Amino acid sequence: MSTPITDSDTNATIKAIYTERSSTYDASSFHPRQAKEYIHSANLKPGDSVLDLACGTGLVTILAKQHVGPAGRVIGIDISSGMLDVARKKTSELALDIEYLEHDITDLDALPLGEFDVVT
């Protein structure tokens, strides 16, 4: 008899896959281009608040912050510490104010997030 796969097993696998990919995730042209398309379609305005789910290396998150400006609030959430490490490094280099949380996006009830104008 086989052992059932649990949500915990699945989350561990997802974390491992994306942490392994984190250092090269931005290298292809696909993800940066996709991030720009998301931001274009989001129609962000200065001062908006944005929640970026599965934010990865911060491609969408950083562009969102640049669009909403200093008056806007941006939070990125991802399950992979490796992806968040890359996002935090890029954010620091750009001196942007973005909050990143390591968390499973399928269970946001435990987080005191508040309300957002846009969720990506």
Side-chain angles (χ1 to χ4, degrees), residues 52-74:
D52 186 16
L53 300 174
C55 69
T57 62
L59 289 167
V60 171
T61 323
I62 290 168
L63 289 173
K65 183 61 179 175
Q66 291 170 332
H67 276 76
V68 302
R73 174 177 166 229
V74 178

Side-chain angles (χ1 to χ4, degrees), residues 16-53:
I17 288 169
Y18 281 96
T19 294
E20 183 178 321
R21 293 180 65 196
S22 63
S23 64
T24 59
Y25 190 81
D26 294 354
S28 78
S29 63
F30 175 77
H31 293 112
R33 184 178 68 247
Q34 186 180 46
K36 289 177 185 173
E37 290 170 1
Y38 284 160
I39 293 301
H40 177 74
S41 66
N43 195 28
L44 298 174
K45 297 177 274 327
D48 277 352
S49 59
V50 179
L51 176 61
D52 186 16
L53 300 174

